Amino acid sequence: MITKTKVQAIDCRHFINGKFVELEKSKSFENINPATEEVIGLVAEGGKEEVDVAVAAARKALKGPWKNYTLEERSKVLRRIGDLILERQEELARLESLDTGKPFSLANSVDIPRAAYNFHFFADYIISVGTDTFQQNEEALHYAIRRPVGVVGIIKPWNLPLLLLTWKLAPCLGMGNTAVIKPAEWTPMTATVLMEILKEAGVPDGVVNLVHGFGPGSAGGAISEHPDVDAISFIGEPRTGAAIMKAGADTLKKLSYELGGKNPNIIFADADMDDVIETTMKSSFINQGQVCMCGSRIYVERPAYEEFLEKFTAKVKALKVGQPFEADTNVGSLISKEHYDKVTSYLDIAREEGGIFLTGGKRPEELDKGYFLEPTIITGLDKNSRCVREEIFGPVVTVIPFDTEEEVIEQANDTHYGLSASVWTTNLKRGHRVAHQIEAGMVWVNTWFLRDLRTPFGGMKHSGVGRTGGMHSIDFYTELSNITIKM
């Protein structure tokens, strides 16, 4: 499909029962490069018919050769998939950059290596999985066994396409399930190439199927409603999550959701300011701010407020917004015109609410094509501002001073979201104390996005349902049966 000497955009076809399906132009849509606004290929548009065929293939594969693979055999397949991703790292990074508009350097150094590591991690981890055994005096022995949950629908997002797909697919396959995947319609290419990799790695036909398309009323809705889909793993925004929950309610599907975030970044005056600034640059603007864990609400204790703003503003102004394949680009384009319009609408709201723009707030003058936006720092907004309370999901942060620990904890928790938070302080007792009071699934102290894949990952409130990572992923992708032997 792609030569290793010249990587270019590809047309994206469905992958069902081990084969790519012929692309019909009458049932396709255009793939747009968000950095140039050019059409770079066609994407097959699937719906109920394609999903029905894919689910049937996945259901049949549950009882095929895949059923008899041992843990060790599945572990070898996962490791081979990770190895093949690394062999095609630059190719995949280029496709990811073309699809998303993110800097190639970011895709090549973070997205693709982490996608490979997801498979390598679970290749090792599934070998160590055990279950409980209980001896009930001399009367009985109770022990549990794990079974695959069945056919899993994986509906993936557009911001970290391959990274987040593999985060879900690796444990899904590791525990013997089969899958039907729907990539985000804006980012179909790396998922398509992953199907080639899975086949080369020895995944049997029908075990993983890919249907391109849209959400409700299209492929996504068909997967959510399908009676032979046993579980749904979804990453996206809360309204779509609610729609999937409603669609799957009649068949009582098992659900795992990673949803949005409006994450507080709390900076106390005693923090190491150089460390704070360096990390806050990443937690604010990496991937154009299109990461659900980005710390878009920055709270700074008043004695450090002016120093933080001065240093942070200077660093942000030095960031280069540019074309993704330019080596010195720090910030690429937003994902689409639709999303660009949404993000910039919040800038209008901020102006109406009296916000002060220290940086950004506009398209770079030298970039007249593509959905580019300068990294934006806004101050002067009230804690009840929509820009402070609602997820913008772009390169936009608000900075608000605070005076007391109690005040900042109250403001940090005053949101429907509860995904993550960062707390910066050299006072260890305060770090523990504040972290324990933040209503979020993940709290980092003096760091951000430092991950150990064994730990629980997920949010509370409107930020998610359930947890993934380590045993939490294993639990979602399996069903436990308890067996009792009377002695």
Side-chain angles (χ1 to χ4, degrees):
M1 184 178 292
I2 304 172
T3 67
K4 293 188 177 182
T5 56
K6 183 179 180 182
V7 177
Q8 56 188 5
I10 61 170
D11 289 335
C12 297
R13 298 174 287 163
H14 308 309
F15 183 80
I16 298 175
N17 202 24
K19 297 180 177 62
F20 284 103
V21 178
E22 195 65 34
L23 181 66
E24 301 178 42
K25 287 191 176 181
S26 61
K27 292 182 66 177
S28 65
F29 57 94
E30 295 177 338
N31 188 15
I32 307 295
N33 180 343
T36 64
E37 302 182 46
E38 296 174 343
V39 176
I40 56 176
L42 293 178
V43 185
E45 183 177 351
K48 184 178 185 305
E49 179 183 346
E50 290 79 9
V51 168
D52 283 346
V53 177
V55 172
R59 179 63 59 186
K60 182 179 179 181
L62 274 175
K63 298 179 180 179
W66 189 238
K67 178 182 179 180
N68 298 317
Y69 275 49
T70 65
L71 271 175
E72 290 76 14
E73 288 170 336
R74 291 200 299 270
S75 173
K76 289 179 181 178
V77 171
L78 295 190
R79 179 156 298 282
R80 180 61 177 149
I81 295 168
D83 291 345
L84 290 171
I85 288 173
L86 291 179
E87 286 181 18
R88 300 177 71 168
Q89 177 175 333
E90 183 175 334
E91 167 195 344
L92 287 164
R94 289 184 178 279
L95 293 175
E96 204 78 301
S97 186
L98 286 170
D99 252 353
T100 63
K102 71 175 64 186
F104 167 75
S105 59
L106 177 65
N108 197 41
S109 64
V110 176
D111 292 54
I112 308 309
R114 168 62 193 276
Y117 180 63
N118 287 336
F119 280 103
H120 287 158
F121 170 82
F122 281 106
D124 293 334
Y125 193 82
I126 62 173
I127 300 299
S128 68
V129 170
T131 57
D132 292 328
T133 301
F134 300 96
Q135 181 175 340
Q136 185 179 354
N137 300 318
E138 300 303 319
E139 182 178 357
L141 181 69
H142 308 267
Y143 67 94
I145 61 170
R146 291 189 181 275
R147 309 175 192 273
V149 72
V151 177
V152 181
I154 300 178
I155 302 175
K156 76 177 187 70
W158 47 259
N159 59 329
L160 305 167
L162 191 63
L163 188 161
L164 291 177
L165 170 57
T166 55
W167 172 234
K168 301 301 186 180
L169 185 60
C172 174
L173 294 181
M175 300 318 295
N177 298 280
T178 60
V180 177
I181 297 165
K182 192 204 86 68
E185 56 269 25
W186 289 333
T187 55
M189 290 198 290
T190 51
T192 302
V193 173
L194 181 62
M195 299 304 103
E196 293 180 348
I197 289 172
L198 296 178
K199 194 169 182 71
E200 184 178 348
V203 176
D205 292 350
V207 170
V208 180
N209 305 273
L210 178 73
V211 179
H212 295 285
F214 299 92
S218 181
I223 292 171
S224 303
E225 296 168 0
H226 205 288
D228 284 335
V229 171
D230 301 292
I232 298 285
S233 177
F234 170 70
I235 304 176
E237 54 91 27
R239 286 176 299 176
T240 305
I244 292 172
M245 186 175 285
K246 290 177 183 177
D250 288 343
T251 50
L252 300 176
K253 297 189 192 309
K254 199 173 185 181
L255 299 174
S256 173
Y257 284 174
E258 292 177 20
L259 305 177
K262 188 68 176 177
N263 309 300
N265 181 7
I266 301 169
I267 301 165
F268 288 93
D270 67 338
D272 181 334
M273 195 55 63
D274 291 337
D275 195 9
V276 167
I277 296 297
E278 191 65 31
T279 306
T280 299
M281 293 287 291
K282 297 175 184 176
S283 67
S284 299
F285 302 119
I286 194 170
N287 204 46
Q288 299 69 248
Q290 298 170 142
V291 178
C292 54
M293 275 83 65
C294 276
S296 55
R297 292 187 291 151
I298 303 174
Y299 297 97
V300 185
E301 194 172 15
R302 200 172 297 276
Y305 182 69
E306 294 299 333
E307 178 190 1
F308 172 82
L309 282 181
E310 180 181 353
K311 291 182 176 180
F312 186 50
T313 300
K315 285 274 192 178
V316 172
K317 285 182 176 178
L319 291 174
K320 181 189 174 182
V321 183
Q323 289 294 335
F325 291 99
E326 294 177 0
D328 57 348
T329 290
N330 305 118
V331 180
S333 73
L334 297 182
I335 187 65
S336 69
K337 183 180 188 306
E338 177 184 334
H339 189 60
Y340 177 87
D341 290 344
K342 177 211 164 186
V343 172
T344 54
S345 73
Y346 277 99
L347 304 183
D348 295 334
I349 291 169
R351 294 183 180 98
E352 292 170 5
E353 293 178 338
I356 301 167
F357 286 68
L358 302 185
T359 64
K362 59 183 176 62
R363 170 192 288 275
E365 294 179 1
E366 66 277 11
L367 295 169
D368 58 351
K369 288 285 188 181
Y371 309 118
F372 294 94
L373 181 65
E374 293 178 348
T376 302
I377 304 171
I378 307 173
T379 62
L381 291 175
D382 182 82
K383 65 180 182 179
N384 296 315
S385 162
R386 287 183 60 192
C387 293
V388 175
R389 299 181 63 84
E390 298 177 13
E391 185 179 38
I392 299 174
F393 214 61
V396 180
V397 297
T398 59
V399 186
I400 297 175
F402 70 90
D403 294 300
T404 68
E405 189 176 302
E406 294 74 20
E407 172 194 0
V408 75
I409 291 170
E410 180 183 358
Q411 291 189 40
N413 290 336
D414 186 21
T415 173
H416 292 302
Y417 294 103
L419 185 56
S420 71
S422 293
V423 179
W424 293 89
T425 178
T426 53
N427 184 325
L428 184 59
K429 288 184 178 180
R430 176 192 279 155
H432 281 290
R433 186 171 62 243
V434 173
H436 280 232
Q437 296 178 77
I438 299 297
E439 296 168 357
M442 297 162 287
V443 182
W444 289 286
V445 179
N446 295 330
T447 188
W448 175 75
F449 211 0
L450 180 59
R451 292 280 293 121
D452 182 321
L453 300 192
R454 296 170 296 181
T455 61
F457 183 96
M460 56 182 66
K461 302 180 185 178
H462 290 188
S463 286
V465 175
R467 296 292 182 271
T468 54
M471 280 305 300
H472 305 279
S473 292
I474 302 304
D475 286 339
F476 177 73
Y477 289 109
T478 57
E479 296 285 9
L480 283 171
S481 292
N482 190 74
I483 296 174
T484 297
I485 306 294
K486 188 174 181 181
M487 296 169 64

